[in-house]
Amino acid sequence: MSSAIQYAINWTGPRGEKVRGINMSLGGPSDESTLHLSIKNAVQANIMVVCAARK
């Protein structure tokens, strides 16, 4: 998951487009600290992050 968020942060389209929003539905095991850091990096890159989570 974190690598997908990093990809979105770094992605640039053929006309200079950038990702403006990420929508995620989370569930299951993950490294929460790494995921949280990736989400914080996306927000710092001016990407809106919307998450639905279930434990």
Side-chain angles (χ1 to χ4, degrees), residues 22-45:
I22 299 171
N23 181 22
M24 299 184 294
S25 180
L26 307 174
S30 71
D31 181 357
E32 291 182 18
S33 61
T34 302
L35 180 58
H36 185 230
L37 180 59
S38 296
I39 292 169
K40 286 173 42 175
N41 290 338
V43 171
Q44 289 175 349

Side-chain angles (χ1 to χ4, degrees), residues 5-26:
I5 296 170
Q6 191 60 45
Y7 179 85
I9 292 169
N10 295 325
W11 182 84
T12 301
R15 296 184 183 144
E17 305 95 338
K18 300 296 272 179
V19 172
R20 295 176 55 193
I22 299 171
N23 181 22
M24 299 184 294
S25 180
L26 307 174

